[in-house]
Amino acid sequence: MKKKPLILVTNDDGITAPGLRTLIEVMKTIGEVVVVAPDSPQSAMGHAITINSTLYVEAVHIDTGDQKEYSCSGTPADCVKLAVKQLLGRRPDICVSGINHGSNSSINVIYSGTMSAALEAGIEGIPAVGFSLCDYKWTANFEACKSYVKTIVENVLEHGLPNGVVLNVNIPNLAKDDIKGIRVSRQAKANWEEEFDKRKNPQGRDYYWLTGKFVNLDNGEDTDEWALEHGYVSVVPVQFDLTAHHCIQNLNSWNLND
Amino acid sequence: MKKKPLILVTNDDGITAPGLRTLIEVMKTIGEVVVVAPDSPQSAMGHAITINSTLYVEAVHIDTGDQKEYSCSGTPADCVKLAVKQLLGRRPDICVSGINHGSNSSINVIYSGTMSAALEAGIEGIPAVGFSLCDYKWTANFEACKSYVKTIVENVLEHGLPNGVVLNVNIPNLAKDDIKGIRVSRQAKANWEEEFDKRKNPQGRDYYWLTGKFVNLDNGEDTDEWALEHGYVSVVPVQFDLTAHHCIQNLNSWNLND
């Protein structure tokens, strides 16, 4: 009998999040599961790591079943580093992160703690996937995600992923019958038009809340935004070589060494 | 007479950092300077933004001169958003971040608060450059950086930058006469081999410090690591479209929709 794959599960919404619990449930049908997740929500943490502070890890058991679970005081990237270098006895076959409560499509990948965990695993040479459901609510319904998560993880375990690439999977907030399938996509050009809500605190000091509206500037039918708007699960291959290779020749024509 | 360019200056080491003070000094020889920087060090914050907490901003004046300065309770990315949407009367012509105390070459770009500020400006469509000196000490000597910073900023103001691209500049920790010039480079393939230093706190509870050793896995002579090791200032064009376009065809051959 083939050995069961070892699956590292993490997220950025914290170890008690319903999205993580769904991911654990699906992963237990595929392999041996170890969970190392933040002890509190870490959304929009980007690729933060903890270098000037201590990290605490606690063995916990939140759901029934034979998965191992650890709660960690650090960021999602810290959780992956600690899991791989300290907590797991052997190298995981895959790292899955999520299921995030809220979209990480297009430019949101840059701010995403969910994806930073997947990227961290990718940097360690471990195949990795970040999953997000386009519903920010804590009470979001993850039922329709299950079969897509399973299909994608089984494909990654079968085919592997190229070096330096992880997957960013976003799932539309639809009933299972209304989801049309999976589309491999590129990251749409989009951004946030921020507005700052200026208020006064009870002591009379000004402060701000960051608010904003998401603006898709990209009409391509090959983007993740198009896929999600049209009822598809989007799968974007994401790389951490950020070099804009196409610009190097242009920059070499500048007067940098006169 | 041509109008002076408006230059937004920020960093991740905090508003009092000597590297930021050097950057302000050089930028004042080029244009009108507004500083919006974190009120405390934010290193390794990645691309974190503040969405569940309040942001405070305070007008301050740390050095002499006519630059405007604001101290902000948020992350480097928050500083740029606040500057552009709330504090500056007009759109800056360029955003410069740094000079960071310590290298942001190769994979470090992913964890870097300095570069997240530059990327945030790039996402807003503003030409942007992150500068780092390869010396982590607070007492680092930024003298040799000055002429290179000035040359690069003047070139960006003259030529502009392609949409979706910002520059990651790293400066070797050498005397001015020992720096050989500027080399446009690509991000080297490198990573950190982490080790966790496990200790017990005074209450007997285990905790960890993240430590590690940087490993360059890339022998290319066109990389930023090569440039720095050979006495050059490295300039890497960095993009925030993370799509691994070369993988899309391969993923389309998987059994995702059976």
Side-chain angles (χ1 to χ4, degrees):
Chain A
M1 210 183 86
K2 229 177 119 183
K3 205 175 176 185
K4 271 184 157 186
L6 178 60
I7 305 175
L8 170 62
V9 182
T10 188
N11 77 341
D12 77 340
D13 289 318
I15 195 154
T16 61
L20 179 78
R21 296 291 135 193
T22 304
L23 191 53
I24 294 169
E25 181 192 332
V26 177
M27 290 306 104
K28 287 201 286 187
T29 68
I30 300 178
E32 182 188 344
V33 172
V34 179
V35 183
V36 184
D39 59 12
S40 60
Q42 300 278 324
S43 291
M45 278 305 283
H47 207 100
I49 52 174
T50 301
I51 50 174
N52 291 315
S53 181
T54 53
L55 289 168
Y56 286 91
V57 180
E58 196 121 31
V60 295
H61 213 150
I62 291 168
D63 279 344
T64 55
D66 56 3
Q67 74 279 4
K68 281 195 184 135
E69 298 191 30
Y70 299 91
S71 167
C72 169
S73 64
T75 65
D78 291 329
C79 288
V80 171
K81 284 179 191 283
L82 260 168
V84 172
K85 298 295 162 75
Q86 192 72 31
L87 302 172
L88 301 178
R90 59 183 170 107
R91 202 174 164 73
D93 296 287
I94 190 169
C95 170
V96 292
S97 177
I99 304 170
N100 192 57
H101 292 240
S103 168
N104 280 311
S105 60
S106 68
I107 195 65
N108 301 303
V109 67
I110 297 268
Y111 306 100
S112 164
T114 303
M115 283 307 298
S116 89
L119 283 164
E120 187 60 44
I123 292 166
E124 303 278 355
I126 298 159
V129 188
F131 292 99
S132 305
L133 173 65
C134 297
D135 184 349
Y136 285 86
K137 291 194 294 296
W138 194 256
T139 55
N141 185 345
F142 290 92
E143 241 353 87
C145 300
K146 291 180 182 174
S147 65
Y148 294 101
V149 167
K150 188 167 162 112
T151 297
I152 290 164
V153 168
E154 285 174 342
N155 267 272
V156 172
L157 287 169
E158 186 186 337
H159 300 285
L161 280 172
N163 269 341
V165 173
V166 304
L167 299 184
N168 181 17
V169 176
N170 284 274
I171 301 166
N173 186 22
L174 295 172
K176 197 177 170 193
D177 288 347
D178 295 329
I179 298 182
K180 292 189 189 139
I182 296 173
R183 262 176 89 100
V184 180
S185 309
R186 65 173 173 84
Q187 176 185 324
K189 286 177 188 61
N191 64 17
W192 287 86
E193 281 183 5
E194 287 90 2
E195 282 179 23
F196 286 92
D197 183 355
K198 188 173 178 178
R199 302 186 181 184
K200 268 198 202 307
N201 76 7
Q203 288 74 42
R205 192 173 165 206
D206 289 333
Y207 69 95
Y208 299 90
W209 287 105
L210 171 58
T211 68
K213 142 167 142 265
F214 180 73
V215 185
N216 182 8
L217 307 163
D218 194 330
N219 295 317
E221 298 193 357
D222 55 348
T223 69
D224 50 2
E225 291 304 323
W226 190 96
L228 292 164
E229 275 161 30
H230 291 79
Y232 291 92
V233 173
S234 69
V235 175
V236 177
V238 165
Q239 61 192 357
F240 42 85
D241 174 3
L242 306 190
T243 312
H245 290 278
H246 61 285
C247 291
I248 285 183
Q249 201 180 350
N250 173 256
L251 291 178
N252 274 320
S253 72
W254 288 13
N255 303 317
L256 292 172
N257 286 305
D258 288 355
Chain B
M1 208 184 88
K2 228 175 119 183
K3 205 175 175 187
K4 271 185 156 186
L6 178 60
I7 304 176
L8 171 61
V9 182
T10 188
N11 78 341
D12 78 340
D13 290 319
I15 194 155
T16 61
L20 178 79
R21 295 292 135 194
T22 304
L23 191 53
I24 294 168
E25 180 193 333
V26 178
M27 290 306 105
K28 286 201 287 187
T29 68
I30 299 177
E32 181 190 341
V33 172
V34 180
V35 183
V36 184
D39 58 13
S40 61
Q42 300 278 326
S43 289
M45 278 305 284
H47 208 100
I49 50 174
T50 302
I51 50 176
N52 290 313
S53 181
T54 53
L55 288 169
Y56 286 90
V57 181
E58 196 121 31
V60 295
H61 213 149
I62 291 169
D63 279 345
T64 53
D66 57 3
Q67 73 278 5
K68 282 196 182 134
E69 299 192 28
Y70 299 92
S71 166
C72 168
S73 64
T75 66
D78 291 329
C79 288
V80 172
K81 284 178 191 285
L82 260 167
V84 173
K85 298 297 162 75
Q86 192 72 31
L87 302 173
L88 301 178
R90 61 183 169 109
R91 201 172 164 73
D93 296 287
I94 190 168
C95 170
V96 293
S97 176
I99 303 172
N100 192 57
H101 292 240
S103 167
N104 281 312
S105 60
S106 68
I107 195 64
N108 300 303
V109 67
I110 296 269
Y111 306 100
S112 164
T114 303
M115 284 307 298
S116 89
L119 283 163
E120 187 60 43
I123 292 167
E124 304 278 355
I126 297 159
V129 188
F131 292 99
S132 306
L133 173 65
C134 297
D135 184 348
Y136 285 86
K137 292 194 293 296
W138 194 256
T139 55
N141 185 346
F142 291 92
E143 239 356 84
C145 299
K146 291 180 183 172
S147 66
Y148 294 101
V149 167
K150 188 167 162 112
T151 297
I152 290 164
V153 168
E154 285 174 343
N155 267 272
V156 172
L157 287 168
E158 185 185 338
H159 300 285
L161 279 173
N163 268 343
V165 173
V166 305
L167 299 184
N168 181 18
V169 176
N170 284 273
I171 301 165
N173 185 22
L174 295 171
K176 197 177 170 195
D177 288 348
D178 295 329
I179 298 182
K180 292 188 189 141
I182 296 173
R183 263 176 87 101
V184 180
S185 309
R186 66 174 172 82
Q187 176 185 325
K189 286 177 187 61
N191 63 18
W192 286 87
E193 281 183 4
E194 287 91 3
E195 283 179 23
F196 286 92
D197 183 355
K198 189 173 177 177
R199 303 187 182 184
K200 268 196 202 310
N201 76 6
Q203 288 74 43
R205 192 173 165 207
D206 289 334
Y207 69 96
Y208 299 90
W209 287 104
L210 171 59
T211 69
K213 147 168 138 262
F214 179 74
V215 185
N216 182 9
L217 308 162
D218 194 331
N219 295 316
E221 298 193 357
D222 55 348
T223 69
D224 50 2
E225 290 304 323
W226 190 96
L228 293 164
E229 277 162 28
H230 290 79
Y232 291 92
V233 173
S234 68
V235 175
V236 177
V238 164
Q239 61 192 357
F240 43 85
D241 173 4
L242 305 190
T243 311
H245 291 276
H246 61 286
C247 291
I248 286 183
Q249 200 181 350
N250 174 256
L251 291 178
N252 274 320
S253 72
W254 289 12
N255 303 316
L256 292 172
N257 286 305
D258 287 355

